[in-house]
Every structure is written in structure tokens, then in C-alpha cells.
Amino acid sequence: MNWQAVNAIYRFEMSRTMRTLWQSIVSPVISTSLYFVVFGAAIGSRITEIEGVSYGAFIVPGLIMLTLLTQSVMNASFGIYFPRFTGTIYELLSAPISFLEIVLGYVGAAATKSILLGLLILATAALFVPIEIAHPFWMLAFLVLTAVTFSLLGFIIGIWADGFEKLQIVPLLIITPLTFLGGSFYSTSILPPFWRTVTLFDPVVYLVSGFRWSFYEIADVHVGISVGMTILFLVLCLAAIWWIFKTGYRLKS
Amino acid sequence: MHSPMQSIISVSNVSKTYATGFQALKDVNLDIRRGEIFALLGPNGAGKTTLINVICGIVNRSGGDISVDGLDILKDYRTVRSMIGLVPQELTTDAFETVWGTVSFSRGLFGKRKNPAHIEKVLTELSLLDKKDDQIRTLSGGMKRRVLIAKALSHEPKILFLDEPTAGVDVELRKDMWQVVRALRASGVTIILTTHYIEEAENMADRIGVINHGEIILVEDKAELMRKLGKKQLTLELQKKLDAVPEGLAAYDLTLAPGGGELTYTYDTQGERTGITALLSDLNKAGLRFRDLHTTQSSLEDIFVGLVSKRQ
């Protein structure tokens, strides 16, 4: 293993985060706070408790997931797309590094950033609503697994995209809608049976449900299924990345 | 076959066909000797960059074998790549990164431990040390080119590829770069450079290769080429056309132009005697009269253009 290279890529990506600190850290925190003001305080005050949890506290895991998913995808896709766009990818391709090391460096940095953001949002949320974490280990496990999985997805998008438009399409048109529909702000149990079945095809349902269970022990689907699905997405993303590097798709002519 | 000790890069029957069907390299064979400066000349689109990119692992080859220091470039890619530094043709840089940051990043990427003393040395040699904390986007084109060279040297490579290193660089800077390249060669680094500038190849290279339409059409020692350059031709325009060169002049190895109106004599300016006086006297004895005469000397550029146009 060329750990020096993994470290170099990781540090390079993290320093990019520090250079764009305002955009990377501050803006997601501000927008999450706004969600609290709107959904938690304004609308939430008129909504009764959901399964014994106040609405403001109920949406915290969903809000963290929303940021975690979009930021993981955005960071990782931008991280690998930018060298392709500027041409500096030549250095990665000619360096004595394996594809695994490239992925570790880029995805590791993107996931770290998302996890930090998730924890920051959790801390911000704690200022607005009282938060209990019933299963801290599982909470962290879901946080890390989801951040890694969606950073891998972002990495795939960053390699697939051949323009900035495509880079934006997936987070904006797929991830965000799926997160909103996936029970971030409500329990899917309140939906009519038909729509409840439809949501089972939304992968985000499993992530949000498992994550929320780690806080309040309430879940739309069994936590075991949530863990299984999260690992399944992880494996699917890893398989796609393995194929990309094996074929050199969009990287090598 | 070449001796592995002498040859540091060995390219055998390498071909590359892009997905568009364009054949960029056709059965290329090339050996680069350890410690030499090899200049690869060729017009645009000849396959220079493709060949470099194939050796460096940026482009997948369609066929053939490549070994570096006796190791296969795919099987032993880690060892091979850690030996190679590449300066690409395009000025591709991380605009917002600092000079120090980007050069240190390259060193790490190539698996080397941090060594600020080495980075400082490289930046000093390239006159970049005072710019070390500047963002790359603030630098001039020539400075960016130096940053790319510094990145390629950050991991102490044994082999350096310079793809058009002086394209768009002013004369002063070009000469500075030649100095740097010579110093690197003196330290034992093998250098392969591609260039459009014949002057550059003449000035720097130990050997010269010419590539056109994806084929290597000439590889020769520069000294040998220069010896050819040292030859001049004397052309005599005859008053009366000849059917053949008279027997009495056979020793001069004259060439009769088609049509029989011109005789050409090739001589070596480096030699002790050119033989011109004797030739003129013998021509007189043979009763040949001429209307005019002129001499020509071919340059590397003529040889290059001649070779390239012959294959068009």
C-alpha cells in the first residue's frame, strides 16, 4: 500500500475544504438551522408528537441524513471531477498508486467532511431541541456507513459526469427528492398503504429509518433491514467503482 | 537485441488505436539509453504525446510490450512509475493551490516521505523559491511550466519525460530550462523530450528520434546527424547535358540529376581536404564546361522535413 499517496490525496482534499470553509461548513449549518426555524419551530409547533417524540426532535436524524447524503455526493463528485476538468488527473494516472488508494484518499476525505458536517448539525440541533441518542454506537455506525456509501456514489458521479450540469443533476434531482420522500420529516407509517409500499423502493427510507432508530428507537422498517440495505448500497457502489477502474471508464482512453 | 544494462526504456511493437478508430501508434519500437537525453521530434498529431502517455500509464496501449529498467510497466507499475517524472504539454495545474503545496502533494503521491530540503532544492534550481507561497493561478505561463517541472522532480525520478517543455516559453526562460535539463542529465537522470524546436533538439539531445503518423522513422545519434549536417553539396549546372557521369570522374561519386543538366558533388567540410580543386581540374580535363555553380548545406530541419514529407 502506498499510504503516503493516500495521505497526500486526503490532506489535499481536506485542505480544499479548509480553503472553502465558508461554503463547505458554514452554509450547510445555516441552512439546517433554517430548517429548524421553519419545520421545527413554525410548523412543528402545530404538529403533535410522533410516537412519543416531539416533532422538532423527530426531524433531527432526517435533517442530518439530508445534509449527509447531499454533501457526500457533492464533495466526492467534485473532488474527482475537478482534476478531470482541469487535466491534473494526469498525475494521479501516472503515479505509483492503485485504484483502491485513489478511492481511499478521495472518498475518505469526502466522507470525513460529511461526518464532521453531520456532527456539527447534530450539535446545532441540540441548541434548538433536546436530543437523546439511545444507541450512540449505531448512530455513529449509520453516520459513517452512509457517508462512505454516498461518497462512493459521488465519486462514481464525478467520473461519469462530463460537465458541471451532470455533476449537479444527481444531488438536486435525485438525492434531495428521495430524501424528502424518504421520511426525513415524517414517519412513512402515516402514509396510505399504497404510498407506503412505494417508499420501500426509496433507498433513503432505510437510511433515515435506521438512523432515527439509533436516536429514539422508533423505525419505519426493521433496523436489521436498514443495516442490510445500507451495506447493500455500499457493496453496489464498490462494485461500480471496481468496474470503472478495471475498464478505465472515462479515465483512460 | 539491446542490452538491458544500457537500455532503460524498451518499447517493442507498441500500437495504439483510439476508440474513434484513429491509429496513433503503429508497431513502435524504441530503446532509450540510460542517462541520455533523447529528443523525439514530429509534427502535430504524429503520436509523440500518445507514446509518452502509454509509457507513463495514462493511456492504455492496444498492443506490444514496454519495460522500464527491465520491469514490465503494467505488472510492476509501482516500481516503474516511481522512477518516472512527467511534465505534460498542457499547463494543467491546481490554480488555487500554492507552489509549495502542489509540489509536496506530488512527492506524497509518488510514495515518498516528506522532505522539505529536497523540495526547497528543486524550487531553488527552478528559481521558484520566492514564489513558494503564491497560488499557482497568480503565476505567469513560464512560471507555471516550471511548477510542473518541479512537481515532476519532487519524487527524485530516474527518468524524466518533458512533453514540449518550452512551448510558449520565451527565449531567456528556454535557455534556463536547457540548463536545468543538462544539470539533471549530469546527475544521472535519463531525459526524453518532445519538441517542435529543431534548435532545442540540436542543442540538448544525445540522440534524436523522428515520429510521424504513429511510426518511428528515424533514430540516430545526434553526433551522426551532425556529421551528415557537416556535409555540403556542390551543384554544377552544365552547359551541355550528359547521358552519364564520365568514367574519368567516377572517383568523385558524382550524382547526375534527371535530365542530365546538373552534377552534384557531396563533400565533408570537416575533412582535411574537400577535393573541390581536384574535381574542378578534372572536370576541365574531361572537357566539361559549366554555366553556374552553388553549394548547399542541409540542416536538421531539412532532414526532418524531408523525412516527414517523404512519408506523407
Side-chain angles (χ1 to χ4, degrees):
Chain A
M1 274 299 268
N2 182 351
W3 287 110
Q4 297 286 344
V6 177
N7 187 32
I9 297 172
Y10 184 84
R11 280 170 181 273
F12 182 85
E13 283 298 296
M14 290 312 282
S15 77
R16 195 165 61 81
T17 304
M18 297 319 282
R19 272 205 306 272
T20 52
L21 195 66
W22 188 255
Q23 179 206 324
S24 303
I25 306 263
V26 179
S27 68
V29 170
I30 291 179
S31 57
T32 307
S33 303
L34 287 172
Y35 276 116
F36 269 108
V37 172
V38 175
F39 291 109
I43 300 174
S45 60
R46 292 160 190 244
I47 298 175
T48 53
E49 288 185 343
I50 300 177
E51 298 185 43
V53 180
S54 76
Y55 185 68
F58 180 84
I59 63 167
V60 172
L63 272 179
I64 295 175
M65 268 298 159
L66 176 64
T67 305
L68 201 64
L69 301 186
T70 47
Q71 288 294 318
S72 297
V73 169
M74 296 273 266
N75 291 331
S77 61
F78 197 78
I80 191 65
Y81 179 74
F82 204 61
R84 286 181 57 221
F85 177 72
T86 59
T88 54
I89 189 96
Y90 85 87
E91 205 176 15
L92 279 179
L93 296 176
S94 63
I97 46 177
S98 69
F99 299 134
L100 176 69
E101 287 148 7
I102 295 180
V103 172
L104 272 178
Y106 278 101
V107 171
T112 305
K113 198 170 145 184
S114 307
I115 292 166
L116 288 176
L117 277 175
L119 294 174
L120 206 62
I121 289 166
L122 184 62
T124 314
L127 300 175
F128 292 90
V129 285
I131 288 169
E132 292 164 39
I133 302 171
H135 304 283
F137 169 78
W138 283 108
M139 189 278 281
L140 278 175
F142 273 111
L143 196 71
V144 171
L145 270 178
T146 310
V148 170
T149 305
F150 279 76
S151 295
L152 284 169
L153 178 64
F155 191 87
I156 295 167
I157 293 164
I159 284 181
W160 162 76
D162 49 14
F164 282 97
E165 198 188 357
K166 277 192 180 171
L167 211 57
Q168 302 282 356
I169 278 179
V170 176
L172 287 178
L173 293 184
I174 301 177
I175 307 285
T176 309
L178 285 182
T179 316
F180 271 88
L181 295 172
S184 300
F185 301 106
Y186 60 92
S187 166
T188 56
S189 61
I190 61 172
L191 291 173
F194 172 75
W195 287 107
R196 205 170 166 202
T197 311
V198 169
T199 61
L200 294 177
F201 292 95
D202 177 354
V204 179
V205 166
Y206 301 96
L207 304 172
V208 173
S209 170
F211 197 47
R212 187 175 288 131
W213 171 84
S214 69
F215 280 77
Y216 311 120
E217 291 184 310
I218 51 172
D220 292 328
V221 284
H222 190 273
V223 66
I225 297 174
S226 287
V227 174
M229 291 302 263
T230 312
I231 291 171
L232 177 68
F233 301 143
L234 180 72
V235 170
L236 286 178
C237 289
L238 284 173
I241 285 180
W242 175 81
W243 176 81
I244 284 170
F245 282 131
K246 192 169 174 281
T247 57
Y249 172 74
R250 300 253 168 137
L251 286 174
K252 289 189 183 190
S253 46
Chain B
M1 281 300 282
H2 54 88
S3 124
M5 280 309 287
Q6 196 193 21
S7 163
I8 194 161
I9 299 176
S10 179
V11 176
S12 317
N13 309 107
V14 166
S15 59
K16 171 67 192 175
T17 307
Y18 285 102
T20 54
F22 174 68
Q23 206 178 351
L25 295 175
K26 296 168 192 164
D27 213 20
V28 168
N29 288 288
L30 181 66
D31 281 297
I32 306 294
R33 295 175 188 159
R34 195 177 299 271
E36 72 173 343
I37 298 182
F38 185 88
L40 191 58
L41 300 176
N44 286 331
K48 302 187 293 284
T49 302
T50 301
L51 181 57
I52 288 184
N53 286 348
V54 165
I55 298 172
C56 292
I58 296 169
V59 169
N60 290 330
R61 65 191 180 223
S62 309
D65 291 305
I66 303 171
S67 65
V68 173
D69 213 7
L71 301 169
D72 183 81
I73 61 160
L74 292 183
K75 256 192 283 174
D76 301 296
Y77 76 97
R78 281 193 198 267
T79 321
V80 167
R81 291 183 188 181
S82 61
M83 282 191 259
I84 298 177
L86 167 65
V87 181
Q89 191 174 339
E90 304 287 332
L91 285 176
T92 47
T93 54
D94 294 300
F96 298 99
E97 188 57 80
T98 64
V99 171
W100 187 274
T102 195
V103 177
S104 304
F105 168 73
S106 298
R107 186 176 169 86
L109 206 55
F110 279 76
K112 288 277 168 81
R113 286 187 185 285
K114 279 186 181 174
N115 185 348
H118 176 71
I119 306 278
E120 199 168 311
K121 181 174 153 263
V122 169
L123 294 183
T124 307
E125 282 167 359
L126 290 159
S127 313
L128 280 171
L129 196 62
D130 57 332
K131 305 274 181 197
K132 72 183 173 74
D133 297 320
D134 291 9
Q135 282 194 343
I136 298 170
R137 70 193 169 98
T138 63
L139 303 179
S140 66
M143 285 287 182
K144 282 181 187 156
R145 180 77 62 190
R146 289 184 201 205
V147 171
L148 288 179
I149 298 178
K151 277 166 80 73
L153 295 176
S154 66
H155 63 279
E156 302 156 67
K158 279 189 191 170
I159 302 165
L160 182 66
F161 283 94
L162 295 158
D163 197 358
E164 303 272 351
T166 51
V169 166
D170 63 45
V171 181
E172 200 63 25
L173 189 56
R174 196 178 301 165
K175 288 192 173 150
D176 281 0
M177 281 197 191
W178 292 354
Q179 285 294 106
V180 171
V181 171
R182 282 199 193 96
L184 281 170
R185 204 266 300 265
S187 70
V189 177
T190 305
I191 291 148
I192 298 100
L193 62 93
T194 71
T195 182
H196 275 100
Y197 300 109
I198 309 286
E199 186 201 358
E200 194 156 84
E202 262 185 49
N203 233 295
M204 311 260 298
D206 298 308
R207 286 197 309 148
I208 288 168
V210 177
I211 186 169
N212 193 31
H213 294 308
E215 290 175 277
I216 299 275
I217 53 181
L218 168 113
V219 175
E220 198 143 20
D221 277 333
K222 188 183 66 177
E224 178 61 22
L225 271 177
M226 294 318 279
R227 207 177 58 73
K228 285 182 185 167
L229 292 179
K231 285 190 173 166
K232 276 184 111 171
Q233 288 190 321
L234 168 69
T235 306
L236 301 157
E237 232 178 276
L238 303 170
Q239 280 187 348
K240 280 188 189 162
K241 291 182 180 174
L242 291 176
D243 296 328
V245 178
E247 269 181 37
L249 300 170
Y252 294 102
D253 205 13
L254 299 173
T255 320
L256 186 65
E262 278 182 5
L263 270 178
T264 304
Y265 171 58
T266 306
Y267 60 98
D268 190 353
T269 52
Q270 320 276 308
E272 227 171 88
R273 287 181 188 168
T274 60
I276 291 175
T277 318
L279 172 69
L280 293 180
S281 148
D282 285 347
L283 281 170
N284 198 26
K285 279 182 201 158
L288 293 181
R289 299 276 177 273
F290 43 90
R291 272 207 306 255
D292 199 2
L293 59 93
H294 64 269
T295 62
T296 51
Q297 182 164 26
S298 53
S299 67
L300 180 54
E301 187 145 6
D302 291 332
I303 293 178
F304 172 70
V305 170
L307 275 168
V308 167
S309 57
K310 212 160 48 182
R311 304 278 178 137
Q312 297 286 343

